[in-house]
Amino acid sequence: MFDPEKPPELAVERWLNAGEALSLAKLRGRVVVVVAFQMLCPACVAHALPQARRLAGRFNPEQVVVIGLHIGLERHDMTDSAALEAFVSEHRLAFPIAIDTPRDDGPSTTFGTYQMQGTPTLLMFDREGRLRRHYLGQPDDIILAAEIMALAIEDKGAPRGEAARIERKIAATLDANSHDHDGRDHDHHHHNDGEACGCGHAHDHGHHHAHGHRGEHGHAGVGIPRAADADRMTEPPTDIGGRGRR
């Protein structure tokens, strides 16, 4: 289990729509939204990529960077670059697209490192490079934009308590029912936001995991090893000196 305070770099074989290779380290100081997709995933084509295109068009790239991450679930799933380039052109994807580094023994590298369960998956990093959101499925446009704006309001280098304060405000403002089935308060919210494709299997619901800052930091929730709990920061986090659970 990696520490969301210091998440691993994206493992990129090749970039499209980028003048130079990008990295989370280079983009520190900006909010980064990574949308993992497959060309043959219906939910990616119908929802995730159009949503990413809208986000890229609405937010200032000096403040919020949207990146597409083309992944492969098995070695033979890695479609050749020419097909991906045609796909990117056909769907008018002007934001940077990263091709995840393939592996011979299973899913491509970043997909496996971040313990994704399928596509589309959305990762959101704050200005300090911390992983703050992990969505599987189809997050709502309004909720997603509000969460991006909340992260954008946070200053780079601001105390964690400031992030906690903003998280509490957005939690109080957004409808709690938007992240669960029936409005009940429970640790891991699973919300019916549409289909996600993974390893050839379809899921009838998406998963949302907010990487909050509570107690000892790290992953505040339990049960699903790749996920932090789905509620927001409920108290200012403490500085634990990199002791996030792995």
Side-chain angles (χ1 to χ4, degrees):
M1 178 64 63
F2 65 85
D3 181 0
E5 281 275 292
K6 299 177 181 179
E9 274 291 351
L10 308 178
V12 180
E13 181 181 56
R14 183 187 170 200
W15 286 92
L16 304 178
N17 296 341
E20 62 178 359
L22 302 176
S23 68
L24 297 177
K26 286 183 180 179
L27 296 172
R28 187 75 60 87
R30 289 183 267 183
V31 176
V32 178
V33 179
V34 176
V35 178
F37 72 97
Q38 300 174 81
M39 286 188 285
L40 299 181
C41 166
C44 296
V45 175
H47 176 84
L49 292 173
Q51 182 181 67
R53 189 172 61 238
R54 291 192 296 273
L55 293 174
R58 292 291 187 180
F59 285 99
N60 181 345
E62 294 300 315
Q63 302 296 324
V64 178
V65 178
V66 177
I67 294 173
L69 178 67
H70 179 254
I71 63 94
L73 297 181
E74 297 179 9
R75 184 65 177 87
H76 64 265
D77 286 338
M78 297 302 292
T79 309
D80 64 79
S81 295
L84 180 58
E85 289 176 6
F87 177 88
V88 168
S89 175
E90 176 186 355
H91 291 274
R92 298 179 290 110
L93 307 178
F95 50 86
I97 304 289
I99 302 176
D100 198 15
T101 300
R103 295 176 56 187
D104 292 327
D105 58 349
S108 53
T109 304
T110 306
F111 184 90
T113 300
Y114 277 84
Q115 301 173 353
M116 302 180 197
Q117 298 293 298
T119 56
T121 288
L122 184 145
L123 307 175
M124 194 185 305
F125 302 84
D126 65 17
R127 293 185 186 274
E128 284 294 304
R130 299 172 296 203
L131 179 62
R132 296 279 289 275
R133 296 290 188 274
H134 182 155
Y135 282 100
L136 169 66
Q138 303 176 24
D140 177 78
D141 275 11
I142 294 175
I143 299 294
L144 190 58
E147 291 180 334
I148 292 172
M149 185 61 72
L151 296 189
I153 289 171
E154 297 175 14
D155 292 328
K156 184 179 184 297
R160 289 194 182 110
E162 176 67 11
R165 184 182 66 82
I166 293 174
E167 285 277 12
R168 286 196 296 269
K169 282 192 172 183
I170 193 171
T173 303
L174 295 175
D175 182 2
N177 293 338
S178 62
H179 287 313
D180 60 21
H181 288 309
D182 54 9
R184 291 176 298 178
D185 185 17
H186 43 91
D187 284 341
H188 287 281
H189 297 306
H190 301 280
H191 56 90
N192 274 327
D193 282 351
E195 294 184 349
C197 312
C199 301
H201 302 287
H203 304 275
D204 64 0
H205 58 269
H207 303 270
H208 164 259
H209 311 292
H211 291 255
H213 306 255
R214 305 198 320 170
E216 292 187 358
H217 205 74
H219 291 300
V222 294
I224 302 176
R226 71 189 175 91
D229 69 0
D231 59 4
R232 304 298 187 269
M233 296 182 190
T234 56
E235 60 188 43
T238 57
D239 191 337
I240 52 96
R243 290 186 289 109
R245 288 179 297 192
R246 305 177 89 87

